[in-house]
């Protein structure tokens, strides 16, 4: 595993949690989310579903990156480049919250 | 469900100690089509998906795709229903309506380790009888329609089983006053269901559901004297709660005794264990199997199952309606329904005559069975 690079900006500081008012279900290897403001459910697959699974307990951005990098056996820079925008999008869509 | 096929039984009993064995290899096209159709009608996609994921039910890549698609659709549907339920809870709370969530959502989140195993297709709530009329009015103001009119004014609140409403988006809402129609529904301690209710957290709200013992008994009502042919999902719910649920079995039996529902509990458990081919029998199931219903109980159960006669149900119900005034009101409503009820398919004066003739024939059969 490659060490964390300083090339990418760090993710937001705090602990990520699943939004308590989001409705969700596993469907085999994917997860369907229905946040309050969403018109219909949207689906997370692959690393997105793995991220949701990891967030059964609150986790920092750094801890998520480490876990996903280990899980998929890829370097942390690659994971960080994917995960930080995903976290932002999930927050924007009402699926996640960042606790200080 | 008659003539349950081995693959369907294996799906319904997946991960339970059952004699029903899944196929050794993927089903051929015809077997798969038959199994899939039953899985769909019995809402067993959650259990089939779990069996496929566990490697317990072999499938072809094409069948896997179908399971993935159908299960995702089923889960999208239950999420939409839960969203409606959250809105209902908000509305009921604001209006001070006393209710508990029944069936699908309450069981998916309590009886199963993963709620995605439990699919459902509508919303059932039990509303306190004193709040039933205004709940119907509240939902009708919100655009819900009532496909079946009340048999006579006040009947639903006093003696009815439930009121079905259809939302503008087509979703069915069943507002129950009790679990089933007739005798067995009338002898449930309905007030007690609200005082012993517990909270279920979904989507940031805490919804009221019945206690665990009451949930098991409610499932037994649905299986034993609800549908003529009990749904496999209901039988699975019963088995799931008995085998994995945390409950006080003495309290289950005590409630069944108080609700005059020992025969209902016994039949519900027996149906679950027989149809799902479960083994061994836990003490509650063993004791219930040894229960011998009285002749009156047997007749009452038969009125829901063998030949399913509404007249026999009515006669049996009269025995548990308390007080002469209520007995007369109950009988009057059943014998002389309101014009609106009979004219629900369009006005026709001959309907009264038909109603009476059919009722008298049925009464003769119930009192003087051949």
């Amino acid at each position: 595993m490659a060490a964390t690079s300083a090339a990418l900006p760090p993710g937001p500081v705090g602990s990520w949690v699943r939004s308590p008012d989001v409705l969700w279900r596993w469907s085999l290897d994917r997860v369907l989310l229905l946040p309050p403001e969403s018109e219909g459910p949207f689906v997370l697959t692959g690393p997105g579903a793995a991220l949701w699974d990891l967030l059964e307990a609150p986790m920092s951005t750094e801890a998520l990156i480490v876990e996903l990098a280990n899980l998929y056996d890829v370097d942390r820079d690659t994971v960080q480049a994917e995960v930080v925008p995903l976290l932002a999008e999930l927050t924007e869509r009402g699926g996640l919250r960042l606790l200080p | 469900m008659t003539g349950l096929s081995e693959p369907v039984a294996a799906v319904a009993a997946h991960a339970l100690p059952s004699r029903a064995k899944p196929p050794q290899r993927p089903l051929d096209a015809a077997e798969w089509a038959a199994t899939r159709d039953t899985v769909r009608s019995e809402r067993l996609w959650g259990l089939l998906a779990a069996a496929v994921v566990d490697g317990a039910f072999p499938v072809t890549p094409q069948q896997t795709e179908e399971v993935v698609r159908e299960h995702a659709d089923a889960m999208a549907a239950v999420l939409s229903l839960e969203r409606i339920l959250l809105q209902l809870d908000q509305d009921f709370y604001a209006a001070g309506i006393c209710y508990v969530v029944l069936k699908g959502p309450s069981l998916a989140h309590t009886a199963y380790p993963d709620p995605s195993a439990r699919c459902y297709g509508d919303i059932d709530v039990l509303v306190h009888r004193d709040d039933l009329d205004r709940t119907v009015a509240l939902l009708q103001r919100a655009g819900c329609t009532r496909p079946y009119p009340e048999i006579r004014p006040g009947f639903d609140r006093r003696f009815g089983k439930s009121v079905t409403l259809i939302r503008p988006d087509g979703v069915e809402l069943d507002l129950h006053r009790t679990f089933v129609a007739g005798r067995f529904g009338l002898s449930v301690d309905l007030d007690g269901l609200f005082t012993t209710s517990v909270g279920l957290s979904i989507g940031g709200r805490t919804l009221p559901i019945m206690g665990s013992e009451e949930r098991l008994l409610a499932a037994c009502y649905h299986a034993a004297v609800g549908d003529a042919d009990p749904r496999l999902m209901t039988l699975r719910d019963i088995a799931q709660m008995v085998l994995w649920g945390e409950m006080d079995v003495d309290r289950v039996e005590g409630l069944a005794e108080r609700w005059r529902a020992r025969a209902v509990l016994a039949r519900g458990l027996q149906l679950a264990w027989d149809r799902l081919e479960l083994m061994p029998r836990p003490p509650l199931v063993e004791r219930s199997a040894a229960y011998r219903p009285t002749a009156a109980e047997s007749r009452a159960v038969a009125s829901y199952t063998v030949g399913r006669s509404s007249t026999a149900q009515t006669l049996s119900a009269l025995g548990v309606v308390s007080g002469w005034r209520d007995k007369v009101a109950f009988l009057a409503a059943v014998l002389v329904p309101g014009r609106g009820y009979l004219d629900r398919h369009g006005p026709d004066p001959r309907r009264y005559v038909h109603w009476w003739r059919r009722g008298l024939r049925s009464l003769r059969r119930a009192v003087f069975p051949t």
Side-chain angles (χ1 to χ4, degrees):
Chain A
M1 254 351 66
T4 308
S5 160
L8 289 165
V13 177
S15 291
W16 293 100
V17 292
R18 296 170 181 167
S19 180
D21 49 8
V22 68
L23 297 167
W24 61 276
R25 283 286 197 290
W26 281 102
S27 181
L28 292 100
D29 60 347
R30 60 197 64 190
V31 59
L32 283 77
L33 304 185
L34 183 61
E37 304 305 323
S38 178
E39 201 168 301
F42 62 93
V43 181
L44 296 177
T45 56
L51 180 142
W52 185 262
D53 193 27
L54 287 169
L55 287 175
E56 192 169 6
M59 287 183 89
S60 67
T61 309
E62 180 64 21
L64 277 170
I65 291 167
V66 170
E67 288 289 339
L68 288 168
N70 288 336
L71 192 62
Y72 286 93
D73 200 19
V74 289
D75 66 83
R76 293 181 192 178
D77 286 349
T78 306
V79 172
Q80 183 172 348
E82 297 293 329
V83 161
V84 172
L86 177 61
L87 290 168
E89 190 190 338
L90 280 173
T91 307
E92 170 74 23
R93 297 180 77 165
L96 295 182
R97 286 185 189 171
L98 182 63
L99 300 180
Chain B
M1 171 59 23
T2 48
L4 195 57
S5 74
E6 184 82 0
V8 170
V11 170
H14 170 62
L16 296 182
S18 169
R19 285 184 296 275
K21 295 287 170 245
Q24 294 295 305
R25 60 186 70 80
L27 300 173
D28 65 30
E31 290 170 328
W32 172 254
T35 301
R36 179 197 57 205
D37 290 350
T38 309
V39 164
R40 182 178 293 138
S41 64
E42 295 283 334
R43 300 207 176 97
L44 296 174
W45 285 115
L47 292 169
L48 178 55
V52 169
V53 168
D54 293 347
F57 198 102
V59 282
T60 64
Q62 199 177 353
Q63 291 165 356
T64 305
E65 273 179 33
E66 207 167 341
V67 173
V68 169
R69 191 175 59 247
E70 294 279 0
H71 187 254
D73 287 350
M75 292 301 100
V78 299
L79 291 179
S80 299
L81 290 171
E82 287 186 2
R83 171 181 276 180
I84 293 169
L85 191 56
L86 292 176
Q87 184 60 53
L88 276 183
D89 180 67
Q90 208 168 322
D91 296 344
F92 288 180
Y93 181 80
I97 289 167
C98 181
Y99 87 104
V100 290
V101 179
L102 295 177
K103 300 189 187 180
S106 78
L107 295 169
H109 289 277
T110 57
Y112 294 83
D114 180 351
S116 66
R118 178 60 161 91
C119 303
Y120 49 93
D122 61 3
I123 292 175
D124 294 83
V125 294
L126 183 90
V127 177
H128 193 282
R129 59 182 176 276
D130 292 345
D131 291 334
L132 190 62
D133 291 341
R134 67 192 185 96
T135 308
V136 172
L138 173 85
L139 292 168
Q140 284 181 318
R141 280 198 302 277
C144 292
T145 53
R146 179 175 182 162
Y148 310 108
E150 192 171 15
I151 189 164
R152 281 191 84 81
F155 184 86
D156 293 337
R157 180 173 40 81
R158 295 173 75 181
F159 311 112
K161 173 203 162 197
S162 61
V163 178
T164 296
L165 295 175
I166 308 294
R167 283 168 44 95
D169 58 10
V171 171
E172 186 176 305
L173 301 179
D174 286 329
L175 308 180
H176 289 254
R177 190 195 71 92
T178 184
F179 302 139
V180 290
R183 171 200 165 116
F184 288 115
L186 289 166
S187 54
V188 178
D189 171 18
L190 297 171
D191 289 342
L193 296 176
F194 299 101
T195 55
T196 57
S197 68
V198 294
L200 170 69
S201 291
I202 303 179
R205 290 188 74 83
T206 302
L207 311 182
I209 61 171
M210 294 185 294
S212 53
E213 294 83 8
E214 288 87 346
R215 289 198 297 275
L216 172 62
L217 280 168
C220 287
Y221 276 86
H222 297 136
V225 288
D227 297 327
D229 205 6
R231 278 186 172 275
L232 288 173
M233 202 69 243
T234 305
L235 301 179
R236 171 63 187 235
D237 291 337
I238 291 170
Q240 192 75 26
M241 285 187 271
V242 170
L243 291 170
W244 308 116
E246 286 180 10
M247 69 180 70
D248 177 347
V249 292
D250 291 338
R251 186 162 178 269
V252 171
E253 291 174 309
L255 284 172
E257 186 74 41
R258 271 177 40 213
W259 296 356
R260 299 159 79 172
R262 290 290 305 273
V264 171
L265 173 64
R267 181 172 157 77
L269 294 171
Q270 187 193 339
L271 281 167
W273 254 253
D274 288 353
R275 295 278 175 94
L276 303 182
E277 302 179 45
L278 301 174
M279 54 180 185
R281 297 199 293 200
L284 176 66
V285 180
E286 200 66 66
R287 280 200 299 276
S288 291
Y291 178 72
R292 293 288 164 262
T294 63
E297 283 176 327
S298 297
R299 276 198 304 277
V301 169
S303 73
Y304 288 86
T305 54
V306 187
R308 214 172 157 79
S309 156
S310 59
T311 307
Q313 281 182 28
T314 302
L315 291 175
S316 170
L318 270 180
V320 295
V321 174
S322 55
W324 281 105
R325 183 177 290 186
D326 279 354
K327 282 184 198 291
V328 170
F330 178 76
L331 208 52
V334 176
L335 293 176
V336 193
R339 180 66 75 182
Y341 180 78
L342 287 179
D343 287 349
R344 62 193 184 279
H345 302 302
D348 181 353
R350 289 171 302 178
R351 285 220 177 84
Y352 256 112
V353 179
H354 290 320
W355 179 273
W356 271 94
R357 279 192 185 146
R358 204 182 62 184
L360 287 173
R361 273 200 305 272
S362 179
L363 188 64
R364 209 175 297 130
R365 277 199 304 273
V367 177
F368 307 109
T370 51

